[in-house]
Amino acid sequence: MDRADEHTETRALSAKEYDAVHAAVAAVAPTWAGGQAVTLNALFDRWRGIAEEVEEGYSWCAPELMNDIWCRGVLAKIWPMLPARVREIRLPELDSIDERYRRATIPWPGRPEVGFGWWTWRVPRRLEVEASEQRGGDWPLGWEMMRFPRPVSVEVVS
């Protein structure tokens, strides 16, 4: 958590808790691609942003989605390293974002819906693509590497 970004409705964290959060994040993902330090709040903001984007209609390809959800994997890896009180404070927020993502996606056939990495085995319910990139009734361009037929519950819109 960043001291400046701390939610006012939560209890203030101690310096020791802040240090532990920083150490956990730095151990797993010290910097973003541009070199900027990763923070717990930034990971939550990114995960929330991805959930919102998927709810509205994901307009990128499958490999890009895997890149975008990287933040959720980092959250999962650092979670056990965070102080218990930080986990207690942030768990309702994480659960809420996870639920939004689950509602906006469908599970891959034959893949687990729980456990570590569950977010990687989901497909957005709504894919937004350029009209020229649509392909009949199957996957649009950028999603054709999916190893199963496009489920009817995945809507492709231009």
Side-chain angles (χ1 to χ4, degrees):
M1 295 178 109
D2 302 328
R3 286 182 178 101
D5 294 338
E6 182 181 351
H7 299 285
T8 57
E9 69 272 5
T10 62
R11 298 166 286 181
L13 299 181
S14 69
K16 186 176 179 178
E17 288 169 322
Y18 277 112
D19 289 345
V21 168
H22 176 72
V25 173
V28 175
T31 60
W32 297 103
Q36 182 180 11
V38 175
T39 65
L40 183 61
N41 283 343
L43 290 166
F44 268 87
D45 290 345
R46 184 68 183 138
W47 182 230
R48 184 180 307 99
I50 293 301
E52 290 171 3
E53 188 174 353
V54 171
E55 286 171 332
E56 294 169 4
Y58 193 74
S59 59
W60 299 94
C61 62
E64 190 62 33
L65 178 62
M66 297 311 290
N67 183 53
D68 285 345
I69 62 175
W70 166 85
C71 58
R72 183 58 180 88
V74 173
L75 284 167
K77 289 176 185 173
I78 67 169
W79 199 254
M81 300 175 354
L82 297 174
R85 197 164 75 91
V86 173
R87 290 192 312 264
E88 177 187 336
I89 290 168
R90 299 303 294 260
L91 184 59
E93 181 182 6
L94 183 60
D95 286 345
S96 174
I97 299 167
D98 285 351
E99 183 56 32
R100 289 176 66 187
Y101 185 77
R102 279 186 177 101
R103 282 193 316 261
T105 59
I106 64 162
W108 282 35
R111 294 294 184 161
E113 293 188 46
V114 295
F116 187 87
W118 64 264
W119 52 91
T120 62
W121 304 114
R122 300 192 68 85
V123 178
R125 289 184 183 277
R126 183 179 176 101
L127 300 174
E128 291 185 357
V129 298
E130 297 289 328
S132 61
E133 294 177 350
Q134 282 192 5
R135 297 190 175 194
D138 214 1
W139 293 105
L141 196 62
W143 289 87
E144 66 276 4
M145 75 278 301
M146 301 306 276
R147 298 179 183 188
F148 53 90
R150 181 175 59 88
V152 293
S153 57
V154 173
E155 178 185 19
V156 178
V157 295
S158 324

